[in-house]
Amino acid sequence: LGRNKKKSFSSRRVSALRWGILGPGRIAHDFTSTLLVSGCTVTAVAASHDNEITSAHSRAKMFAERFSIPNYYGKYEELASDPNVDIVYVATTNQNHMGPTLMMLRAGKNVLVEKPTTVTYEETKIMYDEAKKRGLFLMTNHWTRFFPLITYLRRTFLASAGKHVLDESEEQIFESTTYTSN
């Protein structure tokens, strides 16, 4: 009891995560493009805070249409309650990361938050404590690590150095277990 048994790559099952995008701006555009190129599923997008040009709902709809995302919302609460979202990418402005992240965690969603995580240590600690309390994944996004080009370069470098290169299924498992919220 109390001991973790390591499982081999071949005995683990990987299921596709269903992504939600919170804050459909330029960074979210780049990240969503990378998700889709990588074969990930994006099921919803939410915008909030109407601006002078368009409503939040309209911005979410335009983003959804651009990426063929089936669900779009004009309120973050709607994304939080969407049962078809497993993990949310928070791409709001830096000073606005904490509120939406806590909302998603409290709704039972795993979260990937754009860097910097927050603007203060105290806010970051609150977010990670909430994730830990709920047993959820929370990570700061260093998204260039997951670019297809970076994956290619990493594999090429490892192969040229005579290192074992994981096949695609092993690499997916490795990437999904590399980081934890602890």
Side-chain angles (χ1 to χ4, degrees), residues 22 76 90 92 95-106 118 123 127:
L22 190 149
Y76 296 158
V90 175
T92 57
Q95 70 276 15
N96 293 318
H97 286 175
M98 187 170 131
T101 297
L102 288 174
M103 180 190 298
M104 295 304 133
L105 291 170
R106 290 173 181 152
T118 63
E123 288 181 350
M127 287 168 40

Side-chain angles (χ1 to χ4, degrees), residues 14-21 31-45 63 67-71 79 82-89 172:
V14 177
S15 60
L17 292 173
R18 299 168 299 174
W19 286 86
I21 307 298
F31 184 77
T32 302
S33 296
T34 302
L35 281 176
L36 295 173
V37 166
S38 300
C40 295
T41 302
V42 181
T43 59
V45 59
F63 192 91
F67 292 105
S68 300
I69 299 170
N71 303 299
L79 179 64
D82 187 329
N84 296 311
V85 173
D86 302 308
I87 184 166
V88 174
Y89 171 62
Q172 286 175 347

Side-chain angles (χ1 to χ4, degrees), residues 58-79:
S58 295
R59 285 196 334 265
K61 181 180 181 185
M62 288 186 297
F63 192 91
E65 288 173 348
R66 178 173 184 119
F67 292 105
S68 300
I69 299 170
N71 303 299
Y72 51 91
Y73 307 111
K75 295 182 179 178
Y76 296 158
E77 293 84 359
E78 294 172 300
L79 179 64

